[in-house]
Amino acid sequence: MPAVTVDDILVLPRLSRPAETQRQRPVRAVVTGHTQREGAGFRVTRPFPGPELRSADPFILLDQMGPVAYQPYEAKGAPWHPHRGFETVTYMLDGTMVHHDSNGGGGVIGEGDTQWMTAGSGILHDELPDEPLVISGGTFHGIQLWVNLPRALKMAPPRYQDLRASELTLVSSHDGGALVRVIAGTVDGFEGPGSTYTPIAYAHASIGPGARLEMLWPQHFSAMVYVLSGSGTAGAEGRPITAGQLAVLGHGDALTVTADARQDTPTGNFEVLLLGGEPIREPVVQYGPFVMNTRQEIIEAVADFEAGRMGTIPAEHLATHRLGE
């Protein structure tokens, strides 16, 4: 980790340094992710939703899968299951995952790649480690983000985006101390490849030991910093954050993340996700893989799933997968 880097960060375009007159976002809270089992039994770290942070509008869920070193035949995934009412975004850092869905979408998600699936009106899919990883074992590390859809788009037709690592927009901090990979949305005029229904910004930053990332952030967006590995501080006030923690930022024009001088990480850097978006501010009713606005819509989603109206598992996958296993 990470899969996408450059030999010379100084050749990249640079982010603007916020002016002294631009307001830095303060840290409102630091949330420690809780761990639990998902899918067929793989472990995730989840900063939201949870007891400390139930709402992260416009996001529904953030799961860090790994990092874990699997032994042969130990790797697990998420067999066939339904979704409705939101988008799933899977970003791979180490290892390889294979995705299939009932619309015929999917493929292999390698290191640095992103799979963006709009569930919309309903879809079935699976997410599994690829066969070589299952047979031989190896390192696995990925992130899954659920992005809510507003009421008017919850029943949009499902779609799939396959974003290769080479498509990410790479920029550096103003002083060259940090590499920022823009996955989706626009950050200081630099646009990522992901096409989103809900306006968001999503990026992965590698900050060198002792370096500080200062960057503009859309004023009308929420803002959060999630630590993948390493330790440092968030906000101009220097609130300590470490691996598995999420800093929730308040209002302002810019954000600051600083790496501690010593980083005991595989890359030697402070690795963080930067994410935020335009709040939807609508009621959210979630029942497992369905995220709607009302309880009645959840009842309808369950009925549609049970009646097969969210699609069916392609015949070529029925022999090896059974729904719900």
Side-chain angles (χ1 to χ4, degrees):
M1 182 188 81
V4 183
T5 95
V6 292
D7 293 330
D8 184 4
I9 193 173
L10 298 180
V11 305
L12 295 176
R14 299 197 180 194
L15 296 166
S16 305
R17 184 176 190 178
E20 291 184 7
T21 55
Q22 291 175 304
R23 187 169 45 138
Q24 284 284 342
R25 290 176 177 252
V27 177
R28 289 200 294 108
V30 173
V31 174
T32 299
H34 60 281
T35 59
Q36 64 184 68
R37 301 283 177 177
E38 283 295 317
F42 60 91
R43 182 178 173 181
V44 302
T45 300
R46 179 175 295 173
F48 63 83
E52 294 183 78
L53 183 64
R54 296 190 180 278
S55 175
D57 194 10
F59 305 114
I60 299 296
L61 171 148
L62 178 66
D63 276 351
Q64 182 178 9
M65 306 172 287
V68 58
Y70 283 125
Q71 296 299 312
Y73 295 100
E74 188 180 49
K76 300 177 178 66
W80 288 91
H81 58 283
H83 286 305
R84 172 179 279 183
F86 62 100
E87 299 182 287
T88 68
V89 184
T90 305
Y91 174 49
M92 289 302 300
L93 295 160
D94 286 303
T96 305
M97 181 177 282
V98 180
H99 163 90
H100 312 98
D101 67 44
S102 53
N103 263 22
V108 177
I109 316 164
E111 296 175 351
D113 296 341
T114 304
Q115 165 214 286
W116 200 296
M117 188 186 78
T118 302
S121 60
I123 197 169
L124 307 182
H125 81 146
D126 71 355
E127 300 162 294
L128 304 167
D130 72 338
E131 187 174 359
L133 178 63
V134 172
I135 294 173
S136 302
T139 303
F140 183 87
H141 189 191
I143 305 295
Q144 186 160 104
L145 176 68
W146 289 11
V147 185
N148 198 12
L149 289 170
R151 187 191 307 272
L153 293 171
K154 282 197 175 293
M155 298 299 283
R159 69 176 182 178
Y160 180 82
Q161 298 175 67
D162 187 17
L163 310 177
R164 299 292 95 186
S166 59
E167 297 178 76
L168 298 184
T169 301
L170 306 184
V171 295
S172 82
S173 56
H174 75 274
D175 61 359
L179 170 64
V180 179
R181 307 160 190 82
V182 185
I183 300 170
T186 301
V187 176
D188 192 19
F190 296 99
E191 187 174 357
S195 174
T196 72
Y197 281 119
T198 302
I200 70 167
Y202 186 31
H204 169 202
S206 299
I207 308 171
R212 173 177 289 190
L213 171 61
E214 300 173 272
M215 59 188 293
L216 298 172
W217 193 258
Q219 191 180 56
H220 59 295
F221 279 13
S222 59
M224 294 176 284
V225 179
Y226 179 72
V227 183
L228 297 170
S229 62
S231 61
T233 64
E237 69 269 41
R239 186 83 171 267
I241 49 174
T242 191
Q245 290 189 318
L246 177 85
V248 182
L249 307 182
H251 298 295
D253 307 299
L255 58 82
T256 294
V257 186
T258 306
D260 288 345
R262 178 182 175 86
Q263 297 294 328
D264 185 18
T265 65
T267 64
N269 296 318
F270 186 34
E271 303 288 346
V272 300
L273 293 179
L274 310 170
L275 63 157
E278 187 174 301
I280 295 174
R281 297 188 178 95
E282 292 178 353
V284 173
V285 180
Q286 180 180 355
Y287 180 73
F290 307 129
V291 181
M292 304 301 290
N293 296 112
T294 68
R295 182 174 180 273
Q296 181 58 39
E297 289 171 340
I298 293 293
I299 293 171
E300 292 169 2
V302 173
D304 286 346
F305 164 59
E306 292 177 345
R309 288 189 285 268
M310 290 189 186
T312 57
I313 301 173
E316 63 267 29
H317 300 297
L318 282 172
T320 54
H321 299 287
R322 285 190 301 139
L323 190 62
E325 289 186 328

